Amino acid sequence: MTTSSQNKFVLVTGGAGYIGSHTVVELLNKDYNVVVVDNVSATSQDTIHRIEKITNKKFPFFPWDILDGPALRDIFNQFDIGSVIHFAALKGVGESGQIPLAYYHNNITGTINLLQVMKEFNVKNIVFSSSATVYGEPPIIPIPETCPTASGPTNTYGRTKLFVEHIIRDLCTAEQDWNAALLRYFNPAGAHPSGMLGENPSGVPNNLMPYLAQVAVGKREELCIFGDDYKSKDGTAIRDYIHIVDLSIGHLAALEKLNENPGCIEYNLGTGQGTTVLEMVSAFSKAVGRDLPYKICPRRAGDVTNLTADPRKANKELNWKAELTLDDMCQSLWKWQTNVANGVV
Ligand code: NAD
Ligand code: WQD
């Protein structure tokens, strides 16, 4: 498949991160021209080499910051960019409450800076990494895109996502030649099937799957399950876990959609299947081949009961559907974590 948009470059900000790196692999596999900017604050440059190994392709990479306007202009001057997939952001929910200005600066000022440079170069197609966190504690399950976000996210990080959604929407309203896909990810999980790409958080992982994976390799003693008094079949909270490869492919579908000049549209990228924490522990234990230790702890502040997507709008309008299973997520994560523990990656 070749379209005119594929002859231009796709600029991927944060393309060396967890979701960005997997998306760059899918783009290269489909012969898109890709240029990546990532300040490597939350990753390592080695990720770029591993993407090149997996795809057997080279691509331009700039270890620069999206807050740096002249640096961004330099990239836009060097490459004929047609669209941007914007992943670059800080994503620590807990940390965002401790250093809110850093989060607002990086995630909001960084995005405004990027949008300004895009406008200067007449590049008006953007795919933005939003989050299911914009729904706060949703009144409707499964959650459609029309679910109100007014009560809003329960943390500073989530507010940066919601505010950027508003900024992009306002821009599309003011200037009708802009097109934007605001992708609300549910819970990305798993790793690349090669075992060469995945999430490797520094310090104590904030999220369930990386924490569980570190328990499995003996780096952490046991998992703390945050609350077993939620309204669910086993009392633990429900999330919609989506395989990182399915999620990445969703970005290509969104890019294609932008060619139809749709204006600004929101899409839920999820599976539509809710899974409790205990079910996830059981699925990952199966992949590892033994029971993993856990204890029940108090609820974590800001957590909500259930975030399960209604993905039908994305299924229909993007012609995209998550295909991979919980077992695929768990097996690929286990392969990746084993490689990390053995120093293979
Ligand atoms: P990540 O931390 O692995 O990737 C983000 C990348 O952006 C990192 O490589 C980091 O070095 C880079 N970066 C950060 N600030 C930058 C800046 N100012 N200039 C240049 N590069 C910068 O995170 P991820 O999980 O891959 O998330 C990607 C995007 O998806 C983020 O916007 C995140 O908020 C959003 N998101 C993630 C999840 C999730 O659970 N992982 C869920 C919903 C939304
Ligand atoms: C999943 C479930 C926890 C860790 C977060 C962000 C969201 C998005 C995705 C973006 C919850 C439970 C977790 C642990 C546990 N981020 N849990 N023990 O909170 O749904 O979403 O990541 O960039 O914005 O809020 O994901 O993986 O942290 O938690 O019991 O050690 O696992 O309570 O029910 P969450 P998570």
Side-chain angles (χ1 to χ4, degrees):
M1 177 192 60
T2 306
T3 66
S4 58
S5 64
Q6 275 169 289
N7 299 325
K8 294 202 172 215
F9 278 79
V10 179
L11 172 65
V12 183
T13 76
Y18 173 47
I19 309 172
S21 59
H22 287 81
T23 303
V24 171
V25 167
E26 298 304 325
L27 287 166
L28 292 171
N29 283 343
K30 289 278 187 238
D31 292 329
Y32 281 85
N33 292 318
V34 176
V35 53
V36 170
V37 60
D38 190 310
N39 67 4
V40 296
S41 59
T43 182
S44 91
Q45 205 149 321
D46 189 50
T47 308
I48 299 298
H49 302 133
R50 283 186 265 116
I51 296 173
E52 291 179 341
K53 250 191 194 158
I54 291 171
T55 58
N56 206 17
K57 284 185 178 159
K58 294 218 173 281
F59 58 93
F61 167 67
F62 297 89
W64 296 348
D65 200 301
I66 59 160
L67 284 158
D68 183 343
L72 277 185
R73 279 186 196 92
D74 191 355
I75 297 173
F76 277 79
N77 268 319
Q78 284 188 55
F79 298 92
D80 184 13
I81 293 169
S83 47
V84 176
I85 307 183
H86 178 33
F87 292 106
L90 297 173
K91 65 162 184 177
V93 169
E95 185 185 63
S96 71
Q98 289 151 11
I99 47 169
L101 290 181
Y103 269 69
Y104 286 126
H105 185 56
N106 195 73
N107 294 4
I108 298 185
T109 313
T111 303
I112 293 173
N113 198 36
L114 172 69
L115 293 168
Q116 270 166 344
V117 176
M118 287 175 68
K119 185 172 149 78
E120 277 170 43
F121 285 81
N122 204 29
V123 177
K124 297 189 169 178
N125 283 349
I126 184 165
V127 175
F128 172 63
S129 298
S130 188
S131 169
T133 195
V134 298
Y135 295 116
E137 178 86 67
I140 314 163
I141 299 290
I143 311 167
E145 287 83 353
T146 48
C147 184
T149 55
S151 63
T154 54
N155 57 73
T156 303
Y157 161 76
R159 280 186 282 278
T160 71
K161 292 286 155 190
L162 185 60
F163 296 161
V164 168
E165 280 202 7
H166 284 306
I167 290 166
I168 294 176
R169 212 174 285 117
D170 284 347
L171 183 57
C172 291
T173 305
E175 300 179 17
Q176 308 236 327
D177 51 349
W178 278 86
N179 295 295
L182 310 178
L183 302 184
R184 295 170 175 167
Y185 311 152
F186 281 67
N187 285 58
H192 194 264
S194 63
M196 304 262 290
L197 285 179
E199 196 177 15
N200 190 16
S202 59
V204 182
N206 297 311
N207 299 115
L208 176 64
M209 295 313 287
Y211 198 102
L212 201 48
Q214 291 195 4
V215 171
V217 291
K219 196 168 167 189
R220 312 261 160 220
E221 200 180 326
E222 62 185 347
L223 175 76
C224 229
I225 293 185
F226 297 138
D228 67 349
D229 57 351
Y230 286 100
K231 267 197 186 158
S232 73
K233 59 176 101 156
D234 56 29
T236 63
I238 302 165
R239 295 291 181 271
D240 182 338
Y241 297 92
I242 174 170
H243 196 295
I244 185 70
V245 172
D246 278 332
L247 182 68
S248 298
I249 292 170
H251 291 74
L252 275 65
L255 265 189
E256 288 296 312
K257 182 75 188 175
L258 295 189
N259 291 332
E260 297 170 16
N261 297 318
C264 182
I265 338 180
E266 304 81 15
Y267 289 110
N268 286 339
L269 295 190
T271 67
Q273 298 299 317
T275 303
T276 68
V277 179
L278 275 171
E279 285 173 331
M280 206 54 184
V281 172
S282 159
F284 192 62
S285 298
K286 189 171 118 197
V288 173
R290 66 191 155 80
D291 286 344
L292 296 171
Y294 67 82
K295 65 179 175 193
I296 304 297
C297 305
R299 286 184 180 201
R300 182 172 66 178
D303 273 355
V304 301
T305 306
N306 188 344
L307 283 175
T308 302
D310 179 343
R312 285 177 299 175
K313 185 179 173 199
N315 297 161
K316 186 162 176 255
E317 295 185 14
L318 299 181
N319 197 20
W320 164 92
K321 195 172 189 299
E323 306 279 359
L324 298 166
T325 63
L326 272 194
D327 285 342
D328 296 323
M329 294 175 217
C330 292
Q331 284 159 14
S332 58
L333 173 58
W334 182 227
K335 186 172 180 183
W336 160 251
Q337 191 65 50
T338 309
N339 280 346
V340 171
N342 294 336
V344 174
V345 290

